Amino acid sequence: MQAAHPPSTAGAWLYRHPKALLVLFLLPPLLWLGVVYLGSLFALLAQSFFSIDEFSGTINRELTLKTYRELFSAANLDVILRTVLMAATVTVAAAIIAFPIAWFAARYARGWLRALFYIGIMLPLWSSYLVRVYAWKLILAKEGILNWVLAKLHLTWLLEALLSTPVLGGASLSVSYFGTFLVFTYIWLPFMILPIQASLERIPASVLEASGDLGAHPGHTLRHVVLPLALPGVVAGSIFTFSLTLGDYIIPGIIGSSRPFIGEVVNLHQGTAGNIPMAAAFSVVPVVVMFIYLALARRAGAFNAL
Amino acid sequence: MFDHVSLRFGDVAAVDNVSLEIADGEFFSLLGPSGSGKTTSLRLIAGFEQPDAGEILLHGVPASGLPPYQRDVNTVFQDYALFPHMSVRDNVAYSLMIRKVPRAERRRRAEEMLDRVRLGGMADRRPAALSGGQRQRVSLARALINQPRILLLDEPLGALDLKLREQMQEELKGLQQDLGITFIYVTHDQQEALTMSDRIAVFDHGRLQQVGAPREIYDHPANAFVANFVGVSNLLDAATSHTLFGIDGATAVRPESIRIEAPARDDAVRIETVVESIVFQGQNSRLVLACDGARLSALFDHNADRETASPETGKPLAVWILREDVHRLGEGG
């Protein structure tokens, strides 16, 4: 006869109490997420309900909506609108460029071609973001390589026509909205390609064949089957591109017109001006915009295929 | 319909010079082991693959170059291939939506079709909320709503359990007779092919081995492959055939044709054997009998044969085979 009691080691105890094991594993990351991550976010939110004393420049720790009233001044609304528009344009452009690439990678690339694809997508992410942004500054500058190539192709007139667009244009691409847009789209593209590719990969080939078999030509199949099934991936990608553009302060600082974006304004209030409440209020904007965006996406049925 | 059709994938001939004709309204099965070319043949008819050589004629019209969406055939896929983001109703009505049939009519016809496959009331569900058998029916309804002249079925019952499979076999056969359209049915299950088909084409290594009615294929297999793939057969080489039956060339004998009891006819061949092993299988036991260097597989029926003999391992046993149960085999396979 074996002993009636199982060995009383810690391992055996955990085996008999799987929930305890789960809690043990989850506790550290949950603490990190809950206290450090969400905690600091709520601290930020709280800061935005303080105000700054205009004479002394000290923070008045009384709850008030004064900062938010200032946030909605015409100049600040301008900044918010500019940033949201940029983020939206970048997201749409990234999705349009990413989709065919992701389609190719998911459905056609095999073996070494597939490996090459992944390296091609990831390689830019392995080098410094700052280096790449400055490289673009050189590419887009008036004396840069892009201008040189266009001149050789006798297409300078095209660039000049583009740059003469009011507001969006400028002296050169590197100091115009077009330049900011180009660089944003380039930098965030991998974050759009990868989720779309993952969602396309999950569509079984037989589902596409079934669509054709039932009389749908490829355009119909794209519209009624592929796009709806890829939508969760597009939304996941757009969360990245949208929120990353909303919060970025480096790219518009280096490339583009001098008109500020949300990130730059936060940096300014936080660092130079010492207006922490206003910086906090500005930081809340992207969070709110993202919530609205997700609610709209959900409403449009973007997550139905999940 | 198939005129010398071939399709190669790299070095492998998936379908190798196959010619066959399928009649209108026929339940026609393509039977073979995996990799035998049966599914590829089906995909050639559907238009998912294009032949390297030869021509496929659909109702007399060459189909080469026609994409799937321009062919009057519909397919029931092995994995059902339902659209996961659509309700059952929208899945079934998909081809109607593509053809811009008005919404109300789409709805009515889809629900009619769902009733027909006994899925009434499931129209608003998502495919994920259905069982395997129910998904199978949705897939069937979706393929049939267009009233195609030919329905292609790619191992449609492969993923179902035995009970459900037998029930669906009956339903499919009934549906086919009801609608009077051609069913081309791919399966690796010989029992299924024998039960349901009007005619069967047996495939191996991309080649057509034999075409015929189930009875014909079972009783007169054209070659060793067919004899062994459709049912079980004792394959006897030329030398053994000669000594036992005086026949020149290889032959096949079904286990159930080996009689333990002496038949009341004098043209039966009597063979002295030794019982090598006995495996109990319920109603029957499978016997392995040794004789003259050959091994025979035979069945011992516990009810019918009980009176006459009781085989024991290692003991001699006399068996009889009728000459008409010995089948000469052709080349190939």
Side-chain angles (χ1 to χ4, degrees):
Chain A
M1 269 287 281
Q2 286 241 310
H5 296 286
S8 57
T9 61
W13 188 85
L14 283 175
Y15 179 77
R16 277 177 281 119
H17 300 86
K19 285 210 174 114
L21 187 67
L22 191 68
V23 168
L24 204 68
F25 272 121
L26 278 181
L27 208 58
L30 275 181
L31 277 178
W32 176 265
L33 190 74
V35 176
V36 181
Y37 200 78
L38 288 179
S40 53
L41 198 66
F42 281 116
L44 182 80
L45 191 68
Q47 293 272 347
S48 69
F49 290 104
F50 297 156
S51 60
I52 194 151
D53 190 304
E54 271 122 36
F55 295 108
S56 59
T58 54
I59 294 166
N60 181 1
R61 293 176 185 278
E62 239 173 79
L63 292 185
T64 167
L65 288 173
K66 178 170 168 278
T67 312
Y68 278 100
R69 264 198 303 281
E70 275 168 41
L71 179 69
F72 291 119
S73 73
N76 286 341
L77 277 178
D78 234 28
V79 173
I80 292 169
L81 188 68
R82 176 180 304 130
T83 312
V84 170
L85 276 180
M86 178 59 81
T89 326
V90 166
T91 298
V92 170
I96 290 171
I97 298 170
F99 198 87
I101 299 175
W103 176 259
F104 171 78
R107 303 232 77 99
Y108 294 102
R110 294 282 172 272
W112 63 270
L113 202 61
R114 201 177 174 75
L116 201 69
F117 161 80
Y118 273 110
I119 292 173
I121 300 296
M122 305 297 275
L123 198 62
L125 297 180
W126 298 343
S127 62
S128 161
Y129 160 88
L130 272 177
V131 169
R132 284 180 294 142
V133 175
Y134 272 109
W136 271 100
K137 177 112 186 147
L138 295 179
I139 293 170
L140 299 176
K142 202 156 189 74
E143 303 79 21
I145 188 164
L146 191 70
N147 266 356
W148 179 80
V149 170
L150 287 174
K152 290 279 176 204
L153 295 171
H154 305 288
L155 286 173
T156 310
W157 58 272
L158 196 71
L159 185 65
E160 271 166 9
L162 194 70
L163 287 177
S164 64
T165 319
V167 186
L168 299 179
S172 81
L173 273 179
S174 63
V175 293
S176 71
Y177 279 122
F178 285 122
T180 322
F181 163 77
L182 265 176
V183 177
F184 266 135
T185 308
Y186 160 80
I187 296 271
W188 306 140
L189 194 59
F191 298 103
M192 183 62 100
I193 294 176
L194 292 174
I196 296 182
Q197 190 232 358
S199 68
L200 288 176
E201 222 154 51
R202 286 213 314 250
I203 306 177
S206 65
V207 166
L208 304 180
E209 286 178 350
S211 174
D213 188 69
L214 293 164
H217 62 70
H220 279 141
T221 303
L222 181 71
R223 207 175 107 212
H224 296 297
V225 179
V226 178
L227 286 181
L229 290 178
L231 207 55
V234 177
V235 171
S238 66
I239 290 170
F240 287 126
T241 57
F242 201 69
S243 62
L244 287 170
T245 312
L246 279 183
D248 195 87
Y249 70 100
I250 292 178
I251 292 172
I254 296 172
I255 293 167
S257 68
S258 50
R259 285 173 284 245
F261 283 67
I262 290 178
E264 291 174 283
V265 174
V266 171
N267 189 33
L268 197 75
H269 281 300
Q270 173 96 25
T272 327
N275 189 347
I276 304 284
M278 186 48 109
F282 254 112
S283 309
V284 169
V285 172
V287 178
V288 173
V289 170
M290 281 316 291
F291 271 120
I292 295 171
Y293 174 69
L294 286 180
L296 288 177
R298 193 194 150 90
R299 207 136 171 222
F303 306 114
N304 285 356
L306 285 183
Chain B
M1 284 170 91
F2 270 59
D3 186 14
H4 298 286
V5 169
S6 295
L7 174 61
R8 308 184 67 82
F9 295 123
D11 288 341
V12 186
V15 173
D16 193 357
N17 200 17
V18 168
S19 292
L20 58 88
E21 202 163 314
I22 299 168
D24 254 349
E26 201 172 17
F27 197 118
F28 193 92
S29 290
L30 309 178
L31 175 66
S34 54
S36 62
K38 56 189 194 306
T39 295
T40 310
S41 299
L42 197 79
R43 294 172 59 81
L44 281 162
I45 303 172
F48 302 137
E49 313 281 354
Q50 296 288 335
D52 294 331
E55 182 61 89
I56 293 168
L57 302 158
L58 296 176
H59 306 288
V61 182
S64 294
L66 277 188
Y69 56 90
Q70 286 173 2
R71 297 186 184 207
D72 189 16
V73 297
N74 285 116
T75 308
V76 175
F77 290 83
Q78 186 169 12
D79 61 355
Y80 317 137
L82 299 177
F83 306 123
H85 58 296
M86 295 182 192
S87 68
V88 165
R89 180 190 294 111
D90 289 345
N91 261 283
V92 174
Y94 186 77
S95 60
L96 301 181
M97 176 195 69
I98 295 297
R99 289 192 296 136
K100 301 198 165 63
V101 172
R103 183 176 274 277
E105 192 191 337
R106 246 154 54 192
R107 221 184 140 89
R108 183 181 59 73
R109 281 176 61 188
E111 268 155 28
E112 231 172 70
M113 206 64 225
L114 282 170
D115 281 339
R116 177 149 214 167
V117 296
R118 301 196 287 113
L119 279 180
M122 303 265 185
D124 290 314
R125 297 213 192 165
R126 286 294 172 95
L130 301 180
S131 71
Q134 290 170 331
R135 282 182 217 181
Q136 175 63 72
R137 287 158 199 274
V138 176
S139 167
L140 197 62
R142 186 180 68 173
L144 283 173
I145 199 162
N146 241 341
Q147 299 164 326
R149 292 171 73 182
I150 304 171
L151 185 71
L152 308 175
L153 302 106
D154 185 7
E155 308 223 11
L157 309 183
L160 305 181
D161 62 50
L162 186 63
K163 271 249 159 60
L164 199 54
R165 206 153 69 211
E166 284 171 351
Q167 183 197 336
M168 281 302 287
Q169 282 175 11
E170 263 174 57
E171 275 184 44
L172 279 177
K173 182 77 190 162
L175 201 61
Q176 188 259 343
Q177 279 163 352
D178 249 25
L179 297 166
I181 63 174
T182 313
F183 273 35
I184 302 179
Y185 192 97
V186 163
T187 181
H188 64 266
D189 181 343
Q190 44 105 11
Q191 199 67 50
E192 202 167 279
L194 291 174
T195 314
M196 302 170 79
S197 322
D198 295 323
R199 284 197 306 149
I200 301 171
V202 185
F203 279 78
D204 187 41
H205 288 102
R207 292 204 194 161
L208 195 57
Q209 305 292 328
Q210 189 176 4
V211 186
R215 191 92 238 172
E216 196 183 327
I217 292 213
Y218 191 83
D219 287 345
H220 303 287
N223 57 38
F225 173 78
V226 178
N228 224 9
F229 191 75
V230 181
V232 185
S233 284
N234 292 295
L235 300 177
L236 303 171
D237 59 22
T240 315
S241 303
H242 189 80
T243 33
L244 289 180
F245 313 114
I247 294 174
D248 294 318
T251 57
V253 178
R254 298 279 179 202
E256 64 268 28
S257 301
I258 296 178
R259 293 152 189 253
I260 312 287
E261 195 179 343
R265 284 163 62 167
D266 47 14
D267 63 339
V269 178
R270 181 189 158 106
I271 303 170
E272 302 295 337
T273 67
V274 175
V275 179
E276 259 191 12
S277 64
I278 304 175
V279 180
F280 179 71
Q281 291 183 326
Q283 193 193 338
N284 297 316
S285 283
R286 183 165 291 281
L287 308 180
V288 176
L289 309 171
C291 72
D292 286 341
R295 277 214 178 90
L296 297 174
S297 172
L299 291 177
F300 178 77
D301 187 319
H302 290 290
N303 296 314
D305 297 333
R306 190 172 42 196
E307 305 297 321
T308 45
S310 70
E312 277 175 64
T313 312
K315 294 276 172 67
L317 184 74
V319 296
W320 286 265
I321 301 172
L322 297 184
R323 288 201 172 273
E324 68 206 48
D325 290 335
V326 181
H327 306 295
R328 282 205 56 178
L329 298 175
E331 298 298 312

